[in-house]
């Protein structure tokens, strides 16, 4: 009202940040864009660099990684010209988000280590905590779980001392994910529930989605199917708050295929892949989940075609490809992929369950009954030791279909998608090998 354009620029930047945290992407872009324009007109480079940085971060969470890289690149250039070491460190941290979400873990790590070093030199514990927290997530996705947890515990402790409620909740979500893949489902559910409560209290929608991811999968493993399905719906309902950011869709799709909801998983995973492409990510995990959903609707040939587009070789890729190859009558290829899973220390229990069921069916196609039974036994042990209710029932359904065993369990939790997989494997075995039914 007083015509102070500089203060208007600051105010619009703050409004934009608030809109971004509230999941209102359109208003966040509008306010931050106006802030950037005002500081350009005023020639105020320090404030312009800060507004560009926040505008870039909005695109990180809004799913336009190309725009984020461009905006943060300009902010980086300005901080270099101004000799603003603190601003440059924050830009590096935000650029690491871009690399991380793009699927380039090595570049994300390089940027984070640089940012952390710069924050250390400045004595900025808050900034260093943000860099270390994201590095913990990078380590998690590299399946370096011990390093990830050590970083998460350190970040959580420091953030609690500094009175930051966001970082502890984010680290609880991360540790919940680690507990999930080490089969500690009760603890994963408790940690993710605590994180979810914190994020809801502070009104952070991105945090809510982050906490829902491990929570939904833990609920599936514990057999709390209806709660997991409600989590899928909540994640999907919030997905439009993040533009093309694929993570909410990806988490929901992963939960759907874990449950065996073939048609539902296919629909959600298709959207996750589309968003990954739109945001500029390689979308490897979304593509593999899409391939697994295709297997669950008896389209294994299409699943193999989808997997051809995936660059990173991971246990998740190998187990799904082993399944698709077994379903299409390629027993040698299936067994080879399953062996990669069994010998890789980064394989999860669920990777091993899927791979061993596939290998069991593949050995039956080669009329190697003893080897087949051995793989089915390994799958049952992996699922039982983990305590995953749905995985145990899937193994039981597969054994019943392929080995004519009477089911040990009442398979009331496993979805139709897993039943389709078992039926297709049985059909292929009957055609490609000696009749075993």
């Amino acid at each position: 009202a007083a015509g102070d354009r500089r203060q208007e620029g600051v105010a619009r930047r703050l409004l934009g940040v608030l809109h971004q945290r509230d999941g209102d992407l359109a208003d966040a872009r509008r306010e931050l864009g106006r802030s950037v324009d005002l500081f350009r007109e005023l020639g105020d480079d320090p404030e312009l660099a800060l507004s560009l940085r926040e505008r870039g971060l909005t695109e990180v969470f809004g799913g336009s990684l190309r725009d984020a890289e461009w905006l943060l690149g300009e902010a980086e250039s300005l901080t270099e010209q101004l000799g603003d070491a603190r601003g440059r460190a924050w830009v590096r941290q935000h650029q690491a988000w871009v690399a991380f979400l793009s699927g380039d873990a090595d570049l994300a790590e390089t940027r984070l280590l640089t940012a952390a070093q710069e924050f250390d030199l400045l004595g900025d514990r808050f900034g260093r905590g943000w860099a270390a927290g994201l590095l913990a997530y990078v380590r998690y996705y590299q399946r370096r779980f011990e390093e990830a947890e050590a970083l998460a515990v350190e970040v959580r402790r420091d953030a609690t001392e500094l009175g930051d409620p966001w970082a502890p909740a984010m680290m609880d979500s991360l540790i919940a994910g680690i507990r999930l893949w080490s089969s500690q489902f009760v603890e994963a559910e408790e940690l993710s529930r605590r994180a979810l409560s914190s994020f809801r209290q502070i009104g952070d929608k991105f945090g809510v989605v982050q906490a829902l991811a491990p929570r939904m999968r833990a609920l599936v493993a514990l057999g709390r199917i209806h709660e997991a399905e409600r989590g899928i719906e909540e994640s999907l309902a919030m997905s439009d708050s993040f533009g093309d950011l694929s993570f909410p869709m990806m988490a929901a799709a992963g939960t759907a295929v874990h449950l065996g909801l073939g048609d539902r998983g296919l629909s959600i995973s298709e959207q996750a892949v589309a968003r990954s492409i739109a945001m500029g990510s390689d979308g490897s995990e979304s593509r593999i989940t899409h391939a697994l959903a295709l297997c669950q609707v008896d389209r294994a040939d299409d699943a193999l075609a989808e997997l051809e587009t995936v660059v990173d070789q991971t246990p998740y890729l190998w187990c799904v490809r082993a399944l698709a190859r077994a379903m299409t009558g390629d027993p040698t290829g299936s067994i080879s992929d399953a062996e990669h899973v069994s010998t890789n220390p980064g394989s999860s229990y669920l990777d091993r369950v899927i791979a061993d069921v596939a290998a069991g069916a593949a050995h039956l196609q080669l009329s190697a009954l003893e080897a087949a039974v051995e793989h089915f036994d390994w799958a049952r042990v992996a699922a039982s030791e983990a305590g995953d209710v749905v995985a145990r029932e899937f193994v039981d359904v597969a054994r019943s279909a392929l080995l004519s065993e009477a089911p040990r369990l009442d398979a009331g939790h496993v979805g139709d998608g897993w039943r389709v997989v078992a039926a297709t494997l049985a059909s292929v075995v009957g055609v490609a090998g000696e009749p075993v039914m």
Side-chain angles (χ1 to χ4, degrees), residues 32 36 49-65 67-73 75 94-95 97-98:
L32 286 165
V36 167
L50 183 52
S51 291
L52 282 167
R53 196 175 83 207
E54 295 294 350
R55 180 72 179 82
L57 187 61
T58 292
E59 292 307 326
V60 169
F61 294 116
S64 181
L65 299 182
D67 288 346
E69 192 74 71
W70 185 86
L71 289 158
L72 293 171
H94 294 353
Q95 288 172 325
W97 270 106
V98 177

Side-chain angles (χ1 to χ4, degrees), residues 226-428:
H226 296 304
E227 291 177 78
E229 290 177 337
R230 286 198 296 271
I232 291 175
E233 296 307 320
E234 183 174 5
S235 189
L236 292 176
M238 298 180 68
S239 64
D240 288 340
S241 298
F242 303 101
D244 289 323
L245 187 68
S246 62
F247 182 76
M249 287 285 184
M250 188 170 68
T255 304
V257 295
H258 191 169
L259 282 166
L261 306 179
D263 290 326
R264 187 83 168 116
L266 183 62
S267 173
I268 302 170
S269 63
E270 285 174 347
Q271 296 175 70
V273 171
R275 289 197 177 192
S276 294
I277 294 169
M279 71 185 281
S281 167
D282 66 357
S284 294
E285 185 172 346
S286 295
R287 293 178 186 276
I288 299 169
T289 299
H290 183 225
L292 181 53
L294 286 165
C295 288
Q296 292 183 351
V297 296
D298 201 12
R299 291 171 55 188
D301 284 322
D302 291 336
L304 288 172
E306 179 68 275
L307 293 172
E308 286 295 318
T309 68
V310 178
V311 176
D312 293 337
Q313 299 293 303
T314 64
Y316 188 26
L317 168 69
W318 296 324
C319 78
V320 174
R321 192 167 63 191
L323 187 64
R325 283 176 164 172
M327 293 175 70
T328 54
D330 177 10
T332 303
S334 177
I335 292 167
S336 176
D337 279 330
E339 287 176 351
H340 284 307
V341 174
S342 67
T343 57
N344 190 291
S347 298
S348 73
Y349 76 91
L350 193 55
D351 296 330
R352 295 194 300 274
V353 167
I354 295 171
D356 278 321
V357 167
H363 279 293
L364 285 176
Q365 292 174 42
L366 298 172
S367 301
L369 179 59
E370 185 176 343
V373 171
E374 188 173 41
H375 277 283
F376 285 122
D377 285 344
W378 289 341
R380 177 174 277 162
V381 168
S384 296
E385 288 184 346
D388 184 325
V389 172
V390 171
R392 284 204 315 264
E393 292 185 4
F394 166 53
V395 175
D396 220 36
V397 166
R399 291 185 73 118
S400 177
L402 288 153
L403 298 177
S404 299
E405 289 185 358
R408 291 188 181 183
L409 302 169
D410 176 16
H413 298 92
V414 68
D416 288 341
W418 287 127
R419 298 176 189 276
V420 167
V421 167
T424 301
L425 289 173
S427 175
V428 173

Side-chain angles (χ1 to χ4, degrees), residues 120-159:
D120 276 338
L121 291 173
L122 293 165
D124 188 334
R125 290 177 63 196
F126 186 76
R128 189 189 184 286
W130 271 65
L134 181 53
L135 183 59
Y137 270 92
V138 172
R139 292 283 183 264
Y140 171 72
Y141 281 97
Q142 292 171 331
R143 301 202 176 200
R144 295 159 64 176
F145 293 148
E146 289 185 7
E147 295 175 57
E149 183 163 352
L151 280 168
V153 169
E154 178 187 350
V155 170
R156 195 186 198 292
R157 183 185 62 246
D158 289 348

